[in-house]
Structure formats: structure tokens, C-alpha cells
Amino acid sequence: QVQLVESGGGLVQPGGSLRLSCAASGFTLDNYATAWFRRAPGKEREGLSCIKSGILSTYSTDFATGRFTISRDNAKNLLFLQINSLKPEDTAVYYCATDLRPRCSRYEREYHFWGQGTQVTVSS
């Protein structure tokens, strides 16, 4: 049974950092495209990044600046999203998702297995 469980969210002051985790079970994370999404209040869910076999696809310019980074622990079947210099506009529910396919996509409709999400709130 495919399961994704996110954790690591919370209330953080602007400028702070968080490392979000996605624990995968029922499949080997490294073998399939697994993505990070977020849904901010009043907005549609947006794709942030996707990784498969160590190949990273990014859909947010925050990766280019280094504010967002992705890492994995293949031995524990974990995926991480590190967010630095948090801004109020990062406030959102963050999700990981997979569709047990080898190809990454930035589109929500391409994924059918989702975690419950972890809330990140950035506020002073």
C-alpha cells in the first residue's frame, strides 16, 4: 500500500528555516518520481520540485537561489525539502506526491498518491 507522510511543518518567524520530511512506504522512493507541492491560502496547489533516481526537476526559482533544497535518505525511504529564509508568502500546506511513474511532472493532475500535508506558517 502506497503511503506518504509529511512532517516537519510549524510556525516559524520570517527568516527562519524548516526541513520538511516525506516518509514513503509501499514503494521505493528512488525508483519513482516523487514531488513536492504546496497550497497557499486561497491559491491552487503548485508544484515545487520532483526527483527520480537522483535527477531533480525544479519548478520554483527558489531552488536557483538556494532558498529551497531537496535531499533524500534512500536507506530510510525519506525525501526532504529544506526551506531557508522563510517568508510569509511561504505559508502553505506542503505535500509530497507520487504516481509510481518514472517521469516527473509539475502538474497536480499527474499524481494520484498524496500525503496529508504539513502546515507551514511564517509569521512574526
Side-chain angles (χ1 to χ4, degrees):
Q1 181 180 357
V2 173
Q3 190 172 17
L4 298 164
V5 179
E6 303 92 338
S7 61
L11 174 61
V12 185
Q13 290 189 342
S17 298
L18 280 175
R19 189 176 78 158
L20 308 182
S21 300
C22 171
S25 59
F27 71 105
T28 300
L29 194 149
D30 197 41
N31 291 346
Y32 300 98
T34 305
W36 281 105
F37 285 78
R38 70 180 179 186
R39 177 179 282 155
K43 296 186 177 181
E44 294 186 353
R45 192 149 47 184
E46 64 169 326
L48 299 176
S49 69
C50 178
I51 188 167
K52 193 273 177 182
S53 297
I55 300 173
L56 181 65
S57 301
T58 59
Y59 313 124
S60 168
T61 57
D62 288 308
F63 285 94
T65 64
R67 204 165 71 83
F68 290 179
T69 56
I70 296 288
S71 60
R72 299 171 303 163
D73 183 334
N74 287 340
K76 296 182 179 179
N77 223 27
L78 291 170
L79 183 66
F80 303 104
L81 174 64
Q82 176 77 33
I83 310 176
N84 300 321
S85 303
L86 278 156
K87 306 174 184 179
E89 50 264 43
D90 293 320
T91 294
V93 180
Y94 287 73
Y95 301 88
C96 57
T98 189
D99 199 43
L100 299 184
R101 298 188 310 171
R103 190 173 63 91
C104 276
S105 170
R106 68 184 302 166
Y107 300 109
E108 177 181 2
R109 63 178 181 268
E110 301 287 341
Y111 297 88
H112 292 91
F113 299 97
W114 294 84
Q116 82 289 349
T118 186
Q119 175 72 49
V120 172
T121 303
V122 185
S123 175
S124 56

